[in-house]
Amino acid sequence: MTNEQKKDWAKILFLKENITQKEIAAKVEISEQSLSKWIKKENWDMLKQSLIATRQEQIRFLYIQLQDFNASIMERPEGKRFADSKESQTLIMLTTAIDKLERETSIADHISSFTKFNDFCRKFVPIAEIQKIVDFQDAFIKNLL
């Protein structure tokens, strides 16, 4: 794995996981100093805060646009409540963007799902067993990079 791939993976873990920097450094197989340097140099703390604008918010915004667009069409007189060719293209673009965002799975999404799954497992499974699962999850993420 290249240094750039390690940095990308560390960034994803930093932004999405609720683990310490020491744990991130160990998973990515880098020094804590390197991780700290990346965090400061590339302002990951601020980026983490900006993730409030998640994919779900983007989807919600697109649905609002779609709803407003359809509402404007429905305000037309009866018999004229249909989209012209330009409006149809806009509708297609909005629905395609929504579909893509709803179906697309990013590495960050995988990590988020793994985190939720691991938190769930902690209630029922010994930590040693969870660590085995986490090792497979880490291997899966490395394979995606």
Side-chain angles (χ1 to χ4, degrees):
M1 183 181 314
T2 68
N3 202 37
E4 198 61 35
Q5 289 172 320
K6 287 182 178 187
K7 185 192 291 186
D8 290 343
W9 187 26
K11 185 176 186 179
I12 290 167
L13 291 171
F14 179 82
L15 296 174
K16 293 291 187 177
E17 289 275 343
N18 190 20
I19 59 177
T20 66
Q21 289 183 22
K22 184 176 185 173
E23 291 171 310
I24 293 170
K27 280 186 180 216
V28 181
E29 299 174 353
I30 58 169
S31 70
E32 290 178 58
Q33 292 79 13
S34 292
L35 178 62
S36 182
K37 181 176 136 187
W38 293 339
I39 291 169
K40 288 177 186 168
K41 183 178 179 186
E42 297 184 12
N43 220 355
W44 290 1
D45 285 317
M46 189 181 335
L47 183 59
K48 190 170 190 170
Q49 295 303 316
S50 73
L51 283 177
I52 295 168
T54 62
R55 180 194 332 246
Q56 283 306 111
E57 287 186 3
Q58 292 173 358
I59 292 170
R60 185 180 63 79
F61 182 67
L62 287 170
Y63 273 119
I64 290 170
Q65 288 182 37
L66 187 59
Q67 182 181 10
D68 288 349
F69 194 82
N70 285 326
S72 72
I73 291 172
M74 292 306 293
E75 290 174 356
R76 297 176 186 164
E78 195 170 319
K80 298 192 184 237
R81 296 179 183 153
F82 55 88
D84 62 26
S85 62
K86 187 176 178 181
E87 292 168 330
S88 294
Q89 281 302 111
T90 302
L91 286 169
I92 289 168
M93 287 176 14
L94 283 170
T95 55
T96 300
I98 290 168
D99 184 58
K100 182 179 179 185
L101 283 169
E102 286 181 334
R103 292 178 187 266
E104 187 178 86
T105 305
S106 68
I107 291 175
D109 292 327
H110 288 300
I111 291 172
S112 178
S113 294
F114 288 159
T115 301
K116 290 174 186 172
F117 178 73
N118 295 343
D119 289 344
F120 171 78
C121 287
R122 283 186 182 99
K123 298 173 189 173
F124 310 102
V125 181
I127 194 73
E129 295 299 315
I130 294 172
Q131 187 56 52
K132 291 178 188 176
I133 294 168
V134 169
D135 291 342
F136 279 107
Q137 293 167 344
D138 288 348
F140 178 76
I141 296 298
K142 283 181 183 177
N143 186 56
L144 293 177
L145 294 174

